[in-house]
């Protein structure tokens, strides 16, 4: 099929969240044990599961048209998406909902009881990391000579075992870092999931339309992840007081009821505000407050 | 309890989807490790988990009153539901939602690199299948003599291993068929899940009412599986253009808002149309588009 | 952080339902493999996972401010929440939704084929139970001398193996009891999950406000578990007949539609009534009946 | 490779014991996830994993030359190995070591509390079994008309669930039978694992030599499973008393020691006799008794 | 069967090692999923799996005749096996082989960074433990008043979570203790597995014989766990030098060979000495050194 | 402890075989979930689990004294163990026993149906591999310019998915290669497990003695993996004929028996020769042939 969009989905920890995100966005994807091409219920797309680390190359070479990967691995591969003719185009940031509101960061960490307090203290030491290129540039920028070894996993344990003096590892809440009795002494790179496209694909009008459709609906599904719908009945007399409590962002739908002294209000609210909002709405006279989940908000 | 409906639920791959379907339809079912009778929160029903292959017999003999099974196994058992006095009555087809929109089919498949191109080429050959009766009738109808062996599982592998010349196996997307390098040369039987009842039970008015209630609500839950609810606000001036985009099937609910220049629209849309619909709705001026999941649509 | 609420969550069978309940109530909790303090996205709370059996002591000693546990373990620990100055305060009952509508009960059970018919028949016999204190008081109240042994699990099997003459064990549907061929001869204690607080914490106004917020939203989420939202369109002429079918509890929202001969109705209904209600609504003329799930009803 | 022996290994519960038996016999077999032909370290053999139920057919048709299967499935397929020109030849019984010393038997079982006491009581009743052919012949021989239904698994539960009046199922210790509160009223067929060959293969001298080698070494490995080697030192004066205790079957090796007053004894003993033998040997003066495992005894 | 020995096997972490120990001792035991009485291939014994904590009571009451349990739980139950008429008799210590050569000890541990240095520092503090009785006696003996709470598991975590000031927990290598950053400040009780019998059973001559047989063979199997057999050929001239290296404990068997200048030596050696012994034997002229595993050494 | 040997054990697929090899060699190693230093029952050693890819660096830098890794990863790291002053010393090859007798090889493979027949055909193409350095040198040596991409796993699938034109991947039996329909067109590097030491450690006499002891016993345990012990009784008259059958390598031990007409023979034989040897021994008159497993042969 001509102009079929070659879509790259990330394997590993992002795999199931991504498939579930596409599901809410409107595309069903099913993996197979014995087949590397997952089914997708849209004949204009073929999907492939790839390692996030390899995706930037595949987009660069045009083997994939559109894909999800991490900003960190684009940087690691030395791809500069800001340069005018970069074959890799940044379509959008995709910020998945999480418990922590902190972004994922690659940090420089040392043993909690070590004397190292700042990057300079690591002069001549051994650093272990999976993000060797970015780490190299970081230390060069600071002018600190170090020995950087590629880490094949279990990086946090390396300091504990005496195999490295410091590590550069990704973390959100520092839980694993702390569980290994490590101490963060600097932030090396802040990352997030991005949607990227190959330039030639993006300049093909048919593919571009599909890329934009996917982006619009992924954004709608992601937005819905952190929002809920609420509805309530409000006495006409208290409408203004109640409206004043609601976030300005999305103007609420106010519908007339058969009983003219009451109005029906419906709006979307940030999930983690609703626990503070509901007690206040009740205080102001709202009744029959219902909260429900949303698939998409566009 | 007199007139309690004896309900048969399918074990195996349909087991969890069926329990979840009943849950959305309004009945909670809980399985036990040490008990063959799952709990169901309706004193007018007793449930039992049975193999789909055995269910037709149990319905025929009146051991069960109502059950879900496959059309293929009814045929395999030689039951003709179209005959006037058949003890087995077809209540409804239950079409579960899937990635593929293709139905499940029992196909005749051979090694990809074999010389066999049509059923006639298999004259005198060994066919392996779990659906021996239907396969027998199929070859008799075509007048092709073959040796049919019952397969105790892993049927696709039989051709690869040289244990059979062809197989008759069920498939939706042919993924497993292709993963074994097999080639489909004919379709033997198209199947789907059906809700069937024992005639005597169906003629008992108390049981019939329960059967109809279950059918109505299962259908409502199944329909909801492939639909989503969407709502949006529309400028009064653009209402017609927007309504024109919406599927005719379910007429949308248009409610007046307090602000007279806007209307609120709400409707249900096919899940796999919504990704194409939403970009168009936005273009026509719809705002605050929300999508939410549905339990039932009746 | 001063006045941070120390929240105790129950480990074990209630662990995942509780985390999911808090999620619907508005708090995201994430467990860690290597850390005993689960993350919670509210800086005013620190959470801890504890055994239900130990929670009453921690609330009593003020090690925790607020926690979920079972009424049975409060009784087992000899804590009398009704006494005026009890350090443990009962905030609310939390009735989780289940298949059975029966409460959890600690029952006295014997071998199905044993001669024991009533508690008195167990005079001088060996009773095995995890709830030794409550069982002791029960037999003392009845004036029946017995030997009570603490059971380290698999209590139902003890009678089968000849290790005990009777057991006192918790059950809802008696499924496990019956699977061991046991017979219940009395009810020893009826229990349910409760939300309890330490008195000093409850008297601290900052903590009390947080306790009340948590209680309000947990109740809202629990209520939503057994309810669903339904909406439908109704001919204006049949409104009264349809309204008459709806449960009086929550007055439905009736909205005017653009087409004046129709009205839109929306209400919440008990999940296990809806299967009986929907057929009746259709009979009375309701159309486009939709059912959807709710996160909270307050 | 000409004259390569096509060996069939049983899938399922016998799979791992068989691979381990061949390992002790001298052939290493390794299964692959993505390949139906397990590796075997003998270029004169190709191995295949097949269902025990299908193996008799494959041997009959010459698709396999040599295989392990159950006597029950040979009977079920209607193959009479005693007839002179039977294409299926019985090479040997392979009696695996087990906890019970009882053979596997297909028994006729009914509900423990049912009135059925003997096969005759089942006249006109429903029998559920996986061994339909053998069961048919059994009831025909007795002249008792019954309805026999093929069971797709979980046969023991059928009586409990009211789906059958009796079952014919395989058992060694009756543990599962009793756990379902069933009662055995007759023995239908006694079975064991057999090594069978295709007649044509057996008459080919190259293949026959390989078949005999495999049989010799499998027997040696099976024999070793139920035996252990023991050695001890014995005072020359007490040799006869000690020799009298040892089983006559394998004459012990008596070696001279440097110290002429002592002799060294070594022999093989049945595993489940050794616990009674050792105390007696010690009593008679044996010292330094050692027991060790054996791979093969030939 | 009269005089059948009622044997109690420990559930949990000792379960599989115990079953495997009995296997090497000469008894095959097989557990069932749906049956509490494991099969044992000796009609003179019935076996039962019980919690180690409950076993002392069952032996005391004569519900079991012989059982394996921990010395700690006998102490916890307040049973004094040294008293003359104690219904519980100590048959033997069963020391399982482990990586560490350290015995299991219940230790008193506190947070690594806490100020507590000795038991006295815990006056008035909260101690959490599963061994409440023994801990109580320990602190009473020292005259230190503390609050002891029963711990329902995950005891090490209690100090980390701030739920207890100290714990009493069992450990061999202190690995888990250290992984929680705890510090041991005293040893409360040293324990090991013991074989115990009910006095009445022990005084019954038939049962006593069986008890002694079991003990003899368990000891033989346990001993074999830490020993290996080695054999070698030695030049007659170097026999004395080689014999001098071998442990005196088990005098080696020296056999004459056909070739008179060589002798054959065979002996048993401690597993963890053999790695030091073999290099020395080679140095002294031993050749063809073979090491093999042993099932029993008696 | 001074002079303690820092031993590196390989994580991953070699982890369990290595721990089991050390067990047979005489050292018990136990891993911990919460601790990176596995216990080893020899105070002169500390063990660490490391990725095979990282081990060469750790030996080079002296972070480890002795370790097991693959020859491929030493080459990949650019370490030349043949150079006189290399900090990495080759102690021994460790050839683990396997089903295949073929060594592990890194091969160049392409799609089975691609036109590529020899390395030259890949000029300008994309090669995917985990062994980037070795692959680079291989193509440079051949003078063929290609684009080599590092592969983060699932390398065989890359060609199928169209993500690479060829791969360089490790294989023994080519089973996985063939399951992906790939074709091997060249061999890039033959590898095996090696025992390597840091030069400084090797020159320290205390550490060197420990290294030699470990090597001697590992070799003894590895040798025993592919050998078995056999013993038999032989009529004195047939001794020569029987001896002629036995492999010359290890001269058998021939012991005199009490009965002078018989001799006892004992020897070690290659595991995969024994199945051919035993039938011949029986033919020549050997009796009571026993085979047993060996822990070590030195």
């Amino acid at each position: 099929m001509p102009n079929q969009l070659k879509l790259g989905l990330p394997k590993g920890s992002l795999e199931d969240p991504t498939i579930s995100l596409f599901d809410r966005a409107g595309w069903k994807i099913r993996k197979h044990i014995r087949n590397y091409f997952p089914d997708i219920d849209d004949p204009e797309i073929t999907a492939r599961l790839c390692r996030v680390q390899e995706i930037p190359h595949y987009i660069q070479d045009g083997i994939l048209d559109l894909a999800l990967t991490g900003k960190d691995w684009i940087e690691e591969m030395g791809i500069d998406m800001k340069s005018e003719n970069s074959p890799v185009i940044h379509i959008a940031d995709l910020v998945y909902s999480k418990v922590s509101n902190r972004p994922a960061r690659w940090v420089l960490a040392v043993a909690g009881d070590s004397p190292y307090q700042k990057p300079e203290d690591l002069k001549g030491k051994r650093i272990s990391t999976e993000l060797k290129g970015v780490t190299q540039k970081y230390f060069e920028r600071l002018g600190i000579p170090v020995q950087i070894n590629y880490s094949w996993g279990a990086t946090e344990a390396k300091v504990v075992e005496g195999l490295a003096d410091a590590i550069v590892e990704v973390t959100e809440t520092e839980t694993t870092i702390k569980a290994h009795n490590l101490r963060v002494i600097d932030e090396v790179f802040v990352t997030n999931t991005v949607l990227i496209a190959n330039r030639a694909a993006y300049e093909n009008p048919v593919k571009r339309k599909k890329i934009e459709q996917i982006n619009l609906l992924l954004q709608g599904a992601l937005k819905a992840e952190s929002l809920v719908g609420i509805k309530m009945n409000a006495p006409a007399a208290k409408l203004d007081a109640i409206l004043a409590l609601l976030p300005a962002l999305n103007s609420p739908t106010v519908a007339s009821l058969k009983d003219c002294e009451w109005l029906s209000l419906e709006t979307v609210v940030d999930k983690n505000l609703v626990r503070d909002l509901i007690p206040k709405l009740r205080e102001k006279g709202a009744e029959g407050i219902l909260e429900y989940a949303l698939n998409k908000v566009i």
Side-chain angles (χ1 to χ4, degrees), chain A:
Chain A
M1 204 182 147
N3 288 324
Q4 216 182 15
L5 192 84
K6 288 169 288 175
L7 173 67
L9 303 169
K11 258 186 208 170
S13 67
L14 276 180
E15 185 170 325
D16 289 337
T18 299
I19 287 174
S20 138
L21 176 64
F22 270 87
D23 187 48
R24 278 169 293 121
W27 284 272
K28 272 197 194 168
I29 293 169
R30 190 171 57 173
K31 291 183 286 175
H32 295 292
I33 295 174
R34 292 174 146 272
N35 191 332
Y36 295 97
F37 299 94
D39 283 338
I40 183 162
D41 66 343
D42 184 337
E44 295 165 357
I45 305 176
T46 53
R48 227 158 301 196
L49 285 162
C50 307
R51 293 273 176 163
V52 283
Q53 297 98 326
E54 302 179 357
I55 281 177
H57 267 316
Y58 297 145
I59 288 288
Q60 193 172 42
D61 294 0
I63 298 177
L64 295 176
D65 293 328
L66 181 73
L68 289 84
T69 186
K71 209 146 89 181
D72 40 8
W73 293 105
I74 297 171
E75 183 79 9
E76 179 72 8
M77 296 304 143
I79 293 168
D80 178 8
M81 294 191 296
K82 285 173 200 140
S83 96
E84 206 173 326
N85 290 309
S86 164
V88 181
I89 294 180
H90 176 267
I91 302 295
D93 286 317
L94 296 176
V95 185
Y96 288 67
S97 158
K98 343 180 195 180
V99 172
S100 76
N101 287 316
R102 285 162 276 177
R105 303 164 303 134
W106 288 86
V107 297
L108 177 63
V110 297
D113 56 5
S114 75
Y116 313 126
Q117 300 297 336
K118 47 188 193 307
E120 289 70 21
D121 299 345
L122 292 168
K123 196 172 156 181
K125 299 295 174 190
R126 291 186 320 268
I127 317 291
S128 192
T129 183
E130 276 183 84
L131 203 70
K132 212 174 152 180
V134 172
T135 301
Q136 201 103 41
K137 276 191 229 158
Y138 163 86
F139 279 104
E140 279 167 19
R141 213 162 46 233
L142 295 177
I144 307 166
V146 292
Q147 177 187 341
I148 301 176
N149 291 322
Y150 182 77
S151 168
W152 267 264
T155 312
E156 289 95 346
K158 298 249 155 68
V159 168
V160 186
E161 297 172 287
L163 302 174
D165 299 302
I167 60 161
V168 171
E169 182 55 333
V170 72
T171 185
E172 268 171 50
T173 58
E174 297 191 14
T175 306
T176 311
I177 296 278
K178 283 172 193 155
H180 285 83
N181 293 318
L182 302 183
R183 184 163 32 85
V184 171
I185 61 173
D186 201 9
E187 193 171 285
V188 174
F189 193 82
V190 180
T191 190
N192 59 253
T193 305
V194 287
L195 186 68
I196 56 175
N198 171 270
R199 178 170 298 276
Y202 193 66
E203 286 169 357
N204 169 330
V206 176
K207 291 192 174 181
R208 184 180 199 143
K209 207 177 153 204
K210 185 50 77 179
I211 290 171
E212 282 169 352
Q213 181 197 14
I214 292 174
N215 187 30
L216 175 70
L217 290 155
L218 288 183
Q219 298 294 348
L222 269 178
K223 207 169 153 193
E225 258 188 12
S226 61
L227 296 172
V228 285
I230 58 169
K231 42 183 134 181
M232 72 207 78
N233 291 337
K238 297 189 177 166
L239 182 66
D240 291 339
I242 287 172
L243 285 176
L245 290 172
L246 297 178
L249 190 67
N250 304 281
S251 65
T253 300
V254 184
S256 322
L257 292 189
K258 198 164 159 274
D259 172 347
C260 307
E261 298 189 8
W262 286 84
L263 293 159
S264 158
L265 264 81
E266 185 153 9
T267 193
V268 297
V269 185
D270 217 277
K271 238 180 207 177
N272 54 16
L273 295 183
V274 85
R275 67 190 186 217
D276 293 324
L277 182 63
I278 283 179
K280 291 179 197 157
L281 289 171
R282 277 199 0 145
E283 235 170 78
K284 296 292 179 197
E287 287 191 7
I289 305 173
L290 302 186
E291 184 198 304
Y292 58 98
L294 296 167
N295 284 346
K296 294 192 191 72
V297 174
I298 283 163

